[in-house]
Amino acid sequence: MRYIFKFPDIGEGLDEGTIAEWYVQKGQQVEMGEPLVKMETDKVVTDIPSPRDGIVAALYGRVGETIHVGSPLVEFDLPGIDGADAVSEVQKPVFEPVNEEGAGVVGTLEVADNSAYLPPTDEVAPTPTAEKPLPRRALATPVARAMARELGVNIDLVSGTGPAGRVMKEDIENYVKRESSGHYPPYQTAASTAATLNTASAGGGRAAAGTVVPPASEAFEIRPLSQIRKTIARNMIRSKQNAAHMTVFDEVEVSELIRIRYKYKEAFEKEGIRLSYLPFILKATALALKQHPVLNAELDLDNNRMILKKHYNIGIAVDTDDGLVVPVIRQVDEMTIRALATAVNTIAEKARRRDISMEDMKDGTFTITNFGSIGGQFAVPVINYPQSGILGIGRMVQKPVVKDNQVVPGTVLPLSLSVDHRIVDGGEVTRFLNKIMEYLGDPVSLIIG
Amino acid sequence: MKIMNMVNAINDALDIKLKEDPNIVVYGEDVGVEGGVFRVTEGLQKKHGADRVFDSPLAESGIVGTAVGMAAAGLRPVVEMQFCGFVYPAFNQIISHVSRMRNRTRGKYTMPIVIRVPYGGGINALEHHSESMEALYAHIPGLKVVIPSTPADAKGMLISALESPDPVMFMEPKRIYRAIKQEVSEDSYSIPLGKGKILHPGTDVTVIAYGAMVREVQKAMVMAKEAGISVELIDLRSIYPIDKELLASSIKKTGRVVFVAEEPTAFGVGAEIMAIANEEAFLYLQAPPKRVSAFDTIVPLPKGEHHYLISPEKIFYEIERTVKF
Amino acid sequence: MDDQGKIISPSHLPEISNELLIKAFQDMLFARTADQMIVSYQRQGRIFTYPPNLGQEAIHSAVAQVIKHDDWLVPAFREMGAWLAKGVTLKDLFLYFMGNETGGSFSSAHNMFPVSVPIASQLPHAAGIGYAIKLKKLDQVVYAFTGDGGTSEGDFHEALNFAAVWKVPVVFIIQNNQFAISVPLRMQTVSDSLAIKAQAYGMPGLQVDGNDFFAMFAAIKEAEEHTRTGNGPVLIEAVTYRQGAHTTSDDPTKYRTREEEEAWQKKDPVNRLRNYLIDKKLWEESREEELISQFRKEIDRIFVEAENHPSYPLEDVFQYQYAEMPDDLKRQKIEHERFLEWSRSRTKKEVAR
């Protein structure tokens, strides 16, 4: 098998040598260790011995020629091994050149007084240190911090959308945009009126909620935010920022509804069910949603689609001591007026007991807000995002109405319907509202179909 | 419990371990009969014998070199370099052999050697008696470098060093040899090497120091407190291995770091702290990390030393500038 | 012995059995054979820089015959025959000069220090070992080597001083082979001899013909007895000649003459002892040929084994710095491994393309 012996680096860092004399010739049998050639290099003149027993097959170079380290020098015919074994036999580890190497009395010391000494170290019996939890600090690069400072923003108040919650430049920009609705002064102004804070508040500020309490005065009452309040605030702004709110107002004459309700009211009360107008409104809404599915839908912009829901779970906005909650009644379309009345009662009871759970509020597809029970005729309700519409019920009032060309006293229910104009167009909105008004104006139509 | 200064504490640690471990020998110039020029080894020869605690010829390279042989042969030598400025003749033995023998012999021979060096300035001394070159030793792979700041720490850390299988440069801040007294337990106890300590928790800025400078920082903290600045003071204690975890968590908490040392500034221990602050706490930093350390000059002789030494006021000045950034 | 191997001073001839003598000679042959083969391997590019022992074999063989299992050997770097006697394996030696600490640790050799690269810095180590021996009241002797160049280093002076003051059992052996790389003895010192320096430390000094096996053997034996019995250290100057180059990268033709080399060749230690043995009918040339051929086969076999030693793992770079790897060092290693992962997958992608 053929083996090419390359000129090795024998002098540590050499890169070439000159052939001074060949000791062997082609065809000659050589033994391992037998000198092959005399090489002249910068450092030494030396004989290169054969690495192997074998027959010289070829010599690479003439006397006087310069060979580079690593270039072929002599080719051998080695006895015996062939093929793959041969290759591994010949595989030599690569060597790199190695560099050769040529081998008080004085002062004054302060002395402590015997009366003053430190207490013993706590390390022998280590004591755990209880640490107070610290206020939130933003993660941010120096560049982002500089930007925040320039814009007069307290970076610790900006929520971060970057890796590991890092505050990015866009977050600061967005924060500024939101804040520039302008009516609230930045937090640090309130803080800096407090005499207790001594550290200079450079633009960025540092203190966060809970650590700075301005002195009580007639000018302010400070009320910390509850979890619900924070959630409501977050949801409201999210809804307004995302949905293209459009509201349609109308009134429906409901004398017929009043008569029917009155007719069944006592019978229901005997069963312990309080019958209000809400069950009728719920039913009307559900049936109208069935016919106008885009009002019971959700816009999924990320995937370029809208999701039309085939279940009709209507939430009812309830005002509690803690704030606004929206418990949901599921599958309203399949429920009878009686069942709906029961459900409404249950919700009212739970609300009184402050017992409305997260479960109760899940899976809503549409929302009704009955502010009229307290007061007000019309409003521009905020959609319960990500739903597409919300129906606001105002206070029933007695008004003169025109019937058969005559002006007669009537009772009118005001309706305010807000929709997400991104997926609900004007025509659909009004058709939907008309349907509801049809049902409420003529309740029997709820069962006629 | 006994009230001790650092000299007593070191002496106590040596005394306890000399009794406990028959392989420990203590030697160096003047450490035997005289008990050391600072009296740190006073009384030990009388107690433990002149073959355990003895004077050596005046040859630093020979002192450390013979320690290498002793360690390989199963002893635990504790050698004293009389002053930090005189370690240099032994530097070859330290970097060529003390730090490398374990690696060179793949663990066949190990170097459980403690090299004790009084270091640091502020004692009105001659040339070579005020050096602070701990960074040089911290940069050598295979060595450990520790520096106590109180008597109790000195005792516990020295006992750990005397039990360590690795070589330890135990650098003693001579300026506070006698300047601090403390109640110290008379028992044997050890403080693990490689760990720093939060001496004083705080929220506005992390101040890192070691040795004699801890006391100076504490003086600066009085001024800081008046200015309403809450300082978290960390005693580094171990230069190598450095307690990165402790430093990182503190700097992340406060967002600011000031490093105080008496070493010359360029390429020193402080440079490593700056790297750590950036590598571990980049996103948390509210101000550039700051080194407060000596000029890159030779330590001036006593008449000029006051220009050179870092005062508590200077430390406060830099703390305030960092907090106000 | 004279240059021809004839005894010229019978009163100084040490007591030594024929068996031991023949063994000593064979040790010298083996060492020389191995030494020459290593130089050849180096020229083949199969091993890195190597310091040949050629011409100094009698010194090493003399120590080899005297040194006991529990005695210590603190080498410089040119004492192969003595290392082998102390238990250093040829394989370890090859691995070391191929560039692997696994070999250089000399792990299988009891009380054997590793090669010392900074000249003479190992001498204080020997003094320290001597102190430990004395403190523990052990029956051990330390043999410490250096060259003529090493006597100029401060550590030589400090070590001898410490050893003498502490009165410890160390035999300091200077192999005066006339050169420190290219610097001849006359430029190293103008002292009358190197052995005389012992006087300054209050210890006995011997100057010996290092190429006369009998003289070396006698000197080592005398020094050993002196020091083992608690009389303190001894300095031996073994006068010899470095027949080879300083290392395989050195070219002696630059600083010495053929004439000088040939003159010293006449004093070659192996030849002298051979002549003596043949003269005394204790040895035959034919025996030597066969023996050398056996040696060559064995040495080559071990060399190839060393060549096939597994490759240097990443762990070995890290795990011997401290008893327990500090966290920071662990992290450095892990981060590098992460890089290697990235590099591997990158190569895979390249290959896939």
Side-chain angles (χ1 to χ4, degrees), chain B residues 126-165:
Chain B
L126 304 169
E127 256 195 282
H128 283 81
H129 291 69
S130 309
E131 326 269 291
S132 199
M133 285 287 137
E134 52 274 18
L136 295 180
Y137 307 109
H139 192 56
I140 300 174
L143 263 195
K144 293 195 173 177
V145 182
V146 300
I147 303 183
S149 69
T150 64
D153 276 4
K155 178 171 171 179
M157 286 163 67
L158 183 55
I159 290 181
S160 274
L162 292 167
E163 294 170 355
S164 162

Side-chain angles (χ1 to χ4, degrees), chain B residues 22-25 27 50-70 72-75 89 92-93 96-97 99 101-109 111 140-144 165-167 195 240-242 244-245 272 280, chain C residues 72 96 100-102 104-133 135-138 154-155 158-159 161-162 165-166 312 316-324 326-329 331:
Chain B
N23 286 320
I24 291 182
V25 291
Y27 65 104
D51 55 351
R52 305 278 306 284
V53 180
F54 51 93
D55 296 310
S56 74
L58 207 162
E60 286 76 14
S61 182
I63 290 170
V64 177
T66 50
V68 170
M70 289 190 203
L75 297 183
N92 183 33
Q93 288 291 342
S96 298
H97 298 296
S99 69
M101 194 60 88
R102 174 189 288 274
N103 185 62
R104 182 184 295 143
T105 64
R106 290 315 198 218
K108 179 184 174 196
Y109 293 126
M111 300 277 106
I140 300 174
L143 263 195
K144 293 195 173 177
D166 300 310
K195 295 277 171 227
Y240 192 89
I242 200 165
K244 246 190 208 184
E245 227 185 280
E272 183 71 18
E280 306 295 321
Chain C
W72 289 77
Y96 174 63
N100 195 328
E101 287 94 336
T102 309
S105 67
F106 294 162
S107 52
S108 39
H110 180 62
N111 289 356
M112 170 82 199
F113 251 49
V115 165
S116 172
V117 173
I119 301 292
S121 61
Q122 71 278 8
L123 298 177
H125 305 170
I129 297 172
Y131 189 86
I133 291 171
L135 185 69
K136 292 181 166 194
K137 299 189 175 39
L138 298 171
D155 277 354
E158 294 187 23
N161 192 37
F162 270 82
V165 167
W166 289 346
Y312 201 115
D316 277 6
V317 175
F318 287 91
Q319 63 173 315
Y320 297 103
Q321 304 301 313
Y322 295 93
E324 217 187 282
D327 287 336
D328 200 40
L329 204 53
R331 273 223 286 183

